[in-house]
Amino acid sequence: MPDSGAARGRRDVGPDEHITPLPESAYAREVFSTLGGIVEIGAVVATGAWAVADASVGSLVSARRAEIDRLLAVVRALGGFSDASMAVVDELGCLREHEVTAPSLLLWSGCIEEISPRLTELERPSAVRRMCRMGADLQLAHFLQALVTASIAGGTEAARGAERVAEALTIAVALADDSGRSGAADTFRAWRVAFLPGVLRPDSSAPEYGRAGFRAYAHALEELLEQADGRGRGGGSGQGRG
């Protein structure tokens, strides 16, 4: 019998509140499709000139191969993904060389720029910069949501999984933009505001195990990421204050 998510009782407990049995591969697809956006954005950022035409997904993946391999290993462990589910990343082709376009950045960014029939307007460095920055923030929050959902659906409790989620997120943040503009703690705060209320509020149709799982991950990630962020920024020391 195939090891499907439905057979294992996996359920969607995302912010849209629908509780629908999903196959394991659907959780993998959600994680890896979002990772594809992160990698495309990172390839553009890596040009150093906000130049879509110069972006190379293949070069970025080659340069960061060890980090990406580690991220994939963490994702597999968190979701309890089979070989077939992990093969979704190859099916999507998000880690292979392919063209990155301004319209794809527009989609990843949630249409932060106005849709224009003139492609040159979307390829202006100022527009590309806005799309990349908004796209990174948005897709990283979606990545965290997909990762936590897959972890809960796969039976990985926060006590065992939070450190791995934080590790995967930290790698993804660096893939999107390693300039230090934002960190994993920033993504966590965006995720907490954008996604958690849809799961935890009293009128949510999420099952109790889903609410408990998301709440546990939120608490554990807050401790891991925000405390680390505070130490990195010298928070709580009082030094250097005037």
Side-chain angles (χ1 to χ4, degrees), residues 74 78 158-170 217 220-221 224:
V74 170
L78 284 169
R160 294 188 296 118
E163 287 191 5
R164 283 178 170 172
V165 169
E167 180 184 5
L169 179 61
T170 299
Y217 268 99
L221 289 169
L224 284 169

Side-chain angles (χ1 to χ4, degrees), residues 20 23 39 121 149 158 165 199 205 219-220:
T20 308
V39 169
E121 293 187 4
T149 302
V165 169
V199 177
S205 60
H219 292 176

Side-chain angles (χ1 to χ4, degrees), residues 115-194:
I115 298 175
S116 171
R118 292 184 293 275
L119 188 59
T120 54
E121 293 187 4
L122 282 179
E123 292 179 341
R124 288 180 291 111
S126 59
V128 172
R129 183 184 67 248
R130 279 190 292 269
M131 290 189 292
C132 283
R133 288 180 172 174
M134 173 63 177
D137 293 342
L138 183 59
Q139 296 310 315
L140 286 166
H142 277 286
F143 179 74
L144 180 53
Q145 173 68 4
L147 204 57
V148 173
T149 302
S151 300
I152 295 170
T156 304
E157 297 179 352
R160 294 188 296 118
E163 287 191 5
R164 283 178 170 172
V165 169
E167 180 184 5
L169 179 61
T170 299
I171 295 171
V173 168
L175 287 173
D177 184 353
D178 62 359
S179 69
R181 182 183 71 87
S182 61
D186 299 300
T187 295
F188 166 74
R189 286 188 285 269
W191 168 79
R192 181 171 58 184
V193 170

